[in-house]
Amino acid sequence: MRTLKVFITGGSGYIGRSTIAALIRRGIEVTALARSEPSARTVSDLGATPLAGALTDTDVLREAADRADGVIHLGVDYSEGTADVDRAAAEAMLDGAGSRPYVHTGGVWVYGDTDGVVDEDAPLSPPGITAWRLDNEKQVLARTTAGAHPVVVMPGLVYGYSGGLAQSFFVEPGRAAGAVPCIGDGSARWALVHVDDIAELYVLALSAPAGAVYAGVSGQNLPLADIALALSHAAGCPGRIDSLSLDEALRQMGPIAEAFALDQQFTGARARRELGWTPTRLDALAELSRG
């Protein structure tokens, strides 16, 4: 039987590394975009074939997608013009992929605060930092009418292996300051997912129907107060919490604080039902506390 081939962007990143590993475990041949030598070494060590290029190299993206049986787009260019770069990269890969699966990355933050536990059909109300994703995802999904096969995966707050945003914005500052920040009274909930579980969803999404959208959440909707307490152990200052107003958090963290302050509860039932996705890492507080 012919070996399946997948092209991935962002393969050397936090989610990308776990996704490459999940693909390789299934015997899938992976080509990974790499914009630097360190990135190329990272993906090569994981078993993927590096392809030199950046998200702005649309010809490289189009040709790589054309040679693959499926595409997973995890990369983000955070320099000026993020939205435009992402849109052009997605269009190039969709052009190259034709009718083959193209999996695009979104995020549940675009829903804003949720009214209880919601699914992918909830109203959209993104914070400023992630508002650019809405139009891009709309254009990606619209390609189904032209015979393309886009699928959107929307991760929750990803954790695991002492990585992710919680590590960067809470544990490391907490270690330096002697107390982990907590925005507001800590009652806002985060919709969490382990990095290995979301990687499995990306792989399964290659078999999803065209136009499908999946919230990548494991059902762990935990209060920030509990999360901050766990992170204080990882930071080496157990029980020491620095309560911040949103304005104070914005000054310390920048615009992303508005997203961290969202009160979100999500179900990942659609991905479980349609794709057989079964998250198995379901003790976030224990892992977050270990750091």
Side-chain angles (χ1 to χ4, degrees), residues 5-22:
K5 300 178 180 181
V6 167
F7 173 58
I8 186 171
T9 69
S12 64
Y14 179 50
I15 300 176
R17 296 192 298 273
S18 284
T19 303
I20 288 177

Side-chain angles (χ1 to χ4, degrees), residues 97-283:
S99 61
R100 297 181 298 277
Y102 164 81
V103 182
H104 189 83
T105 297
V108 298
W109 279 348
V110 297
Y111 291 94
D113 291 319
T114 67
D115 184 10
V117 180
V118 302
D119 63 12
E120 295 85 350
D121 297 325
L124 300 167
S125 182
I129 196 170
T130 193
W132 63 270
R133 290 192 179 277
L134 290 183
D135 189 54
N136 284 17
E137 290 163 18
K138 182 179 178 180
Q139 292 190 40
V140 164
L141 291 170
R143 290 287 295 266
T144 58
T145 60
H149 195 125
V151 176
V152 174
V153 170
M154 312 180 80
L157 202 294
V158 184
Y159 73 94
Y161 304 122
S162 300
L165 295 174
Q167 180 76 20
S168 300
F169 287 90
F170 292 83
V171 174
E172 291 172 9
R175 185 175 291 124
V180 166
C182 180
I183 304 171
D185 64 3
S187 62
R189 292 175 178 267
W190 285 4
L192 296 164
V193 65
H194 192 279
V195 65
D196 284 345
D197 284 330
I198 194 67
E200 291 293 325
L201 179 54
Y202 273 101
V203 178
L204 292 171
L206 291 166
S207 302
V213 177
Y214 298 102
V217 294
S218 59
Q220 298 178 92
N221 301 304
L222 303 180
L224 180 53
D226 294 347
I227 294 169
L229 181 59
L231 294 175
S232 72
H233 288 268
C237 50
R240 302 204 52 184
I241 307 297
D242 183 13
S243 295
L244 305 176
S245 68
L246 179 55
D247 285 342
E248 289 171 331
L250 286 166
R251 285 194 293 271
Q252 287 190 22
M253 302 177 180
I256 199 171
E258 186 182 1
F260 286 136
L262 293 175
D263 182 21
Q264 295 195 316
Q265 298 183 69
F266 274 90
T267 173
R270 179 182 294 178
R272 292 171 182 260
R273 182 177 64 251
E274 296 184 3
L275 302 178
W277 183 48
T278 308
T280 60
R281 288 79 169 178
L282 301 177
D283 195 352

